[in-house]
Amino acid sequence: SRQSTRHLQAKVRAKTGTLTTPVSASALAGYAYSQTHGYIAFAVINNGQRGAKQPGISELRNWQDSLVSLLAK
């Protein structure tokens, strides 16, 4: 859940977007602050595939949170 990323609140400003029909889709876009590189703009879009078992939105968001955590190091 996004609650587990509270340590990033001072380093990340982002907006989410979600669709669940006809395929699962989740997006996260914004800025992350890295001590090494300064501000980094990012956009991540994950989606399922028609006719396949859809990933859960929480699964997609967890993947996005992991990626943003790496950017904000």
Side-chain angles (χ1 to χ4, degrees):
S1 83
R2 295 271 146 94
Q3 299 295 326
S4 64
T5 57
R6 288 195 179 249
H7 66 285
L8 295 174
Q9 277 186 322
K11 293 183 171 188
V12 176
R13 293 290 180 254
K15 180 69 180 121
T16 62
T18 305
L19 296 172
T20 56
T21 309
V23 296
S24 296
S26 180
L28 182 67
Y31 296 92
Y33 182 77
S34 162
Q35 287 185 326
T36 306
H37 302 289
Y39 286 98
I40 302 168
F42 66 88
V44 182
I45 302 170
N46 304 93
N47 63 280
Q49 187 175 14
R50 281 189 191 263
K53 182 179 181 297
Q54 298 302 301
I57 294 300
S58 62
E59 179 183 349
L60 297 176
R61 287 182 178 170
N62 287 340
W63 187 88
Q64 293 164 355
D65 292 346
S66 295
L67 178 64
V68 172
S69 291
L70 290 173
L71 292 175
K73 282 191 174 186

